[in-house]
């Protein structure tokens, strides 16, 4: 049985999944919730379109797998002991190319993840999927991230011995325990969560596993922890739409902020470095997190433009969903780019570069029923990058091409609807081809506190507390 958590006083308890409600929630989910719903569906035996899942994974670009596997990998390959499951979890991450350093690897081999999520089996705890810590009436409220995402973000953060680290979003306490291993006895870790049930669980699990020196605070994470600042590193494990001023103020100059920030319909884990008057990042990775609640504003808007078809945009954008409705039921124009990918190659960089070149980049979501009915046919049903222009819109799509070396291949293209649909499809194809010239390239992202004048030039994306500037292209 798949377990969720629900509150009862100060405790959290497992409860079975309502599959019908889950299917509905998945179709309507915010992108930050999709990895959680996908994990539950995998665990409960529901059919998953693995092409959609794997094509949105980040590109491996970290330390290579070991040349020779440790002996226990062979002798304990079928063992169900938690320590063997833990080692196999780490081996999978490393073989896939997502383990950022030997130090992170050792920490992940040391911390007993299964003891932080006792409501699920050890096998589920060490599978590469998130585990829900607490659920609300319609969607999860807290979770432990999938191990691969944990490893990637710890690599972005790069905590060092002696660092003073702040974590926003306590989850079950597992990530805080990893941080405690990485900063060592001379460092300090503080984890903050707005939900008292979540912090109670994290505090108990940390104490039971020998990490009771980690500070656990019940408070709105947007306020940080000023009594323990300044911090050398801050890591955010929930999905904010904006960057609260406290995080900038409490981060030491030269320090690093890793945050899964939302803009233009996507969520990316960005590794910012603090400068005197701004934050700067040249590295980001696609991810999915539960949206942050509390004082952090949510400036994302959404509206249906057809039955089962929804567009998501930011409140600074000039997008009128009413003007798009006639286009959503009209035939589209599809152009092919000549760029092919396999089902194990990421295409998230196209969305990232669209946010640099197209001011009205947004997200399109369509239910399976809407896709079957037509004419909308996006590359990913729930999370497809799109652009809008008045009464027209376009989005990424794909088509199957002959396999190569046993791998499925897809050609990327774009479909446009409405009077300017053909032109929008052409603009999207131009970005696909530009991305294909150097798929690893990324724009530089700077974040400037509201009220300051950015000295960087590029695509400006205003938020409430922050102004983003994307440079490149």
């Amino acid at each position: 049985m798949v377990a969720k958590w629900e509150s009862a006083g100060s405790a959290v308890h497992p409860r079975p999944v309502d599959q019908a409600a889950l299917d509905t929630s998945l179709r309507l989910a915010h992108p930050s919730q999709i990895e959680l719903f996908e994990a539950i569906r995998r665990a409960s035996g529901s059919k998953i379109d693995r092409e959609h899942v794997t094509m949105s994974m980040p590109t491996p670009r970290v330390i290579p797998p070991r040349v020779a596997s440790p002996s226990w990998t062979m002798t304990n390959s079928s063992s169900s002991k938690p320590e063997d499951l833990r080692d196999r979890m780490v081996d999978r991450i490393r073989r896939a190319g997502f383990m950022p350093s030997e130090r992170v690897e050792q920490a992940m081999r040391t911390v007993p993840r299964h003891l932080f999520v006792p409501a699920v089996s050890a096998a589920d705890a060490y599978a590469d999927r998130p585990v829900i810590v607490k659920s609300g009436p319609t969607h999860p409220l807290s979770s432990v991230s999938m191990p691969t995402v944990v490893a990637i973000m710890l690599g972005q953060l790069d905590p060092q011995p002696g660092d003073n680290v702040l974590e926003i979003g306590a989850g079950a306490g597992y990530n805080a325990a990893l941080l405690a291993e990485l900063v060592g006895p001379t460092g300090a870790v503080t984890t903050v969560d707005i939900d008292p049930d979540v912090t109670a669980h994290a505090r108990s699990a940390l104490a039971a596993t020998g990490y009771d020196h980690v500070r656990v605070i019940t408070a709105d994470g947007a306020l940080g922890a000023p009594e323990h600042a300044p911090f050398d590193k801050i890591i955010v494990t929930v999905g904010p739409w904006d960057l609260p001023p406290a995080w900038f103020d409490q981060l030491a100059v030269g320090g690093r902020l890793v945050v899964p920030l939302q803009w233009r319909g996507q969520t990316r884990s960005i590794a910012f470095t603090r400068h005197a008057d701004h934050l700067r990042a040249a590295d980001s990775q696609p991810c999915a997190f539960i949206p942050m609640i509390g004082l952090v504003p949510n400036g994302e808007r959404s509206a249906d433009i057809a039955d089962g078809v929804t567009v998501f945009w930011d409140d600074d954008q000039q997008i009128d969903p009413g003007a798009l409705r006639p286009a959503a039921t009209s035939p589209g124009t599809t152009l092919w780019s000549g760029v092919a990918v396999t089902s194990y190659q990421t295409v998230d960089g196209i969305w990232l570069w669209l946010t640099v070149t197209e001011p009205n980049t947004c997200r399109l979501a369509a239910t399976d029923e809407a896709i079957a009915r037509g004419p909308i046919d996006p590359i990913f049903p729930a999370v497809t990058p799109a652009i809008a222009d008045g009464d027209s819109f376009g989005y990424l799509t794909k088509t199957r091409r002959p396999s190569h070396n046993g791998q499925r291949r897809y050609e990327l293209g774009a479909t446009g609807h409405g009077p300017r649909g053909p032109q929008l499809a052409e603009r999207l194809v131009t970005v696909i081809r530009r991305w294909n010239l150097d798929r690893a390239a990324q724009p530089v992202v700077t974040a400037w506190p509201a009220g300051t004048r950015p000295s960087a030039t590029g695509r400006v994306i205003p938020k409430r507390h922050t102004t983003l500037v994307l440079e490149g292209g």
Side-chain angles (χ1 to χ4, degrees):
M1 176 179 290
V2 184
K4 279 190 175 182
W5 298 79
E6 61 180 0
S7 63
S10 60
V12 284
H13 303 286
R15 66 179 175 87
V17 170
D18 180 339
Q19 186 65 43
L22 180 61
D23 289 339
T24 301
S25 297
L26 179 58
R27 291 194 296 269
L28 302 177
H30 186 282
S32 307
Q33 300 165 15
I34 287 172
E35 79 164 15
L36 304 177
F37 287 119
E38 292 286 9
I40 299 170
R41 290 183 65 159
R42 281 195 295 269
S44 60
S46 296
K47 182 179 178 181
I48 294 296
D49 185 343
R50 295 188 180 277
E51 296 168 14
H52 290 164
V53 177
T54 56
M55 288 183 72
S56 60
M57 284 296 291
T59 303
R61 53 189 185 89
V62 286
I63 63 173
R66 295 183 189 276
V67 175
S69 299
S71 59
W72 49 258
T73 303
M74 295 179 287
T75 58
N76 294 318
S77 60
S78 61
S79 171
S80 59
K81 294 179 180 179
E83 57 269 27
D84 295 330
L85 293 169
R86 183 160 63 251
D87 280 332
R88 293 206 296 273
M89 173 193 76
V90 175
D91 283 351
R92 286 194 303 270
I93 296 171
R94 182 150 189 166
R95 281 197 303 270
F98 293 116
M99 188 59 71
S101 70
E102 299 286 352
R103 294 182 64 248
V104 171
E105 177 179 347
Q106 186 56 46
M108 295 188 77
R109 291 194 191 277
T110 300
V111 177
R113 180 177 166 101
H114 67 288
L115 296 182
F116 289 86
V117 285
V120 302
S121 68
D124 285 341
Y126 290 110
D128 199 22
R129 62 177 65 128
V131 179
I132 292 177
V133 174
K134 183 179 179 180
S135 63
T138 59
H139 61 270
L141 298 177
S142 182
S143 72
V144 179
S145 294
M146 60 190 295
T148 295
V149 171
V150 171
I152 290 170
M153 293 183 70
L154 288 176
Q156 289 181 302
L157 189 69
D158 192 27
Q160 295 297 312
D163 276 352
N164 184 23
V165 180
L166 172 64
E167 178 190 40
I168 306 298
Y174 172 67
N175 202 61
L178 291 169
L179 291 168
E181 286 286 336
L182 291 164
V183 304
T186 60
V189 177
T190 303
T191 184
V192 179
D193 201 286
I194 196 170
D195 192 314
D197 294 342
V198 172
T199 52
H201 176 77
R203 188 177 294 110
S204 175
L206 286 162
T209 51
Y211 298 99
D212 52 345
H213 55 291
V214 172
R215 304 185 191 101
V216 182
I217 298 174
T218 304
D220 192 318
L223 302 175
E227 65 274 27
H228 302 295
F231 296 99
D232 303 296
K233 307 284 170 63
I234 299 177
I235 184 168
V236 183
T237 58
V238 288
W241 181 83
D242 201 354
L243 302 177
W247 298 351
F248 183 85
D249 295 339
Q250 294 173 29
L251 183 63
V253 173
R256 185 168 296 178
L257 166 66
V258 173
V259 54
L261 188 63
Q262 302 171 22
W263 78 95
R264 302 308 190 235
Q266 63 174 347
T267 301
R268 298 188 69 88
S269 177
I270 307 184
F272 284 112
T273 298
R274 163 80 197 269
H275 294 260
D277 59 350
H278 69 284
L279 302 167
R280 185 180 190 276
D283 173 73
S284 67
Q285 296 294 326
C287 61
F289 278 84
I290 291 172
M292 187 172 182
I293 61 174
L295 296 174
V296 172
N298 181 4
E300 185 176 76
R301 303 290 176 257
S302 66
D304 290 343
I305 58 174
D307 186 18
V309 181
T310 307
V311 64
F312 299 78
W313 73 98
D314 292 333
D315 60 8
D316 68 289
Q317 295 177 289
Q318 301 300 312
I319 294 179
D320 178 5
L324 298 176
R325 290 190 178 106
T329 55
S330 67
T333 299
T334 300
L335 301 178
W336 298 108
S337 66
V339 175
V341 296
T342 70
S343 56
Y344 293 95
Q345 292 177 322
T346 178
V347 297
D348 66 279
I350 298 171
W351 201 332
L352 181 60
W353 283 109
L354 278 173
T355 68
V356 178
T357 61
E358 292 288 345
N360 277 345
T361 298
C362 54
R363 176 168 74 94
L364 187 74
T367 64
D368 293 340
E369 293 82 359
I371 294 172
R373 183 177 63 247
I376 305 297
D377 187 21
I379 186 171
F380 308 126
V383 283
T384 287
I387 57 177
D389 185 356
D391 57 0
S392 306
F393 66 96
Y395 52 85
L396 259 62
T397 190
K398 71 178 188 295
T399 190
R400 183 79 178 270
R401 295 304 186 205
S403 298
H404 179 69
N405 293 332
Q407 289 189 315
R408 291 184 177 184
R409 294 175 67 251
Y410 303 87
E411 183 176 355
L412 302 177
T415 298
H417 296 263
R420 283 184 287 277
Q423 292 87 346
L424 293 180
E426 182 62 43
R427 281 153 57 179
L428 283 160
V429 165
T430 298
V431 176
I432 294 171
R433 291 170 178 160
R434 182 255 175 266
W435 162 79
N436 190 52
L437 295 175
D438 184 357
R439 296 186 181 186
Q442 294 195 17
V444 172
V445 181
T446 54
W448 304 78
T452 64
R453 185 180 181 87
S455 60
T457 58
R459 175 68 61 191
V460 175
I461 299 178
K463 293 178 176 284
R464 310 288 170 73
H465 300 308
T466 313
T467 298
L468 299 182
V469 180
L470 280 65
E471 306 172 65

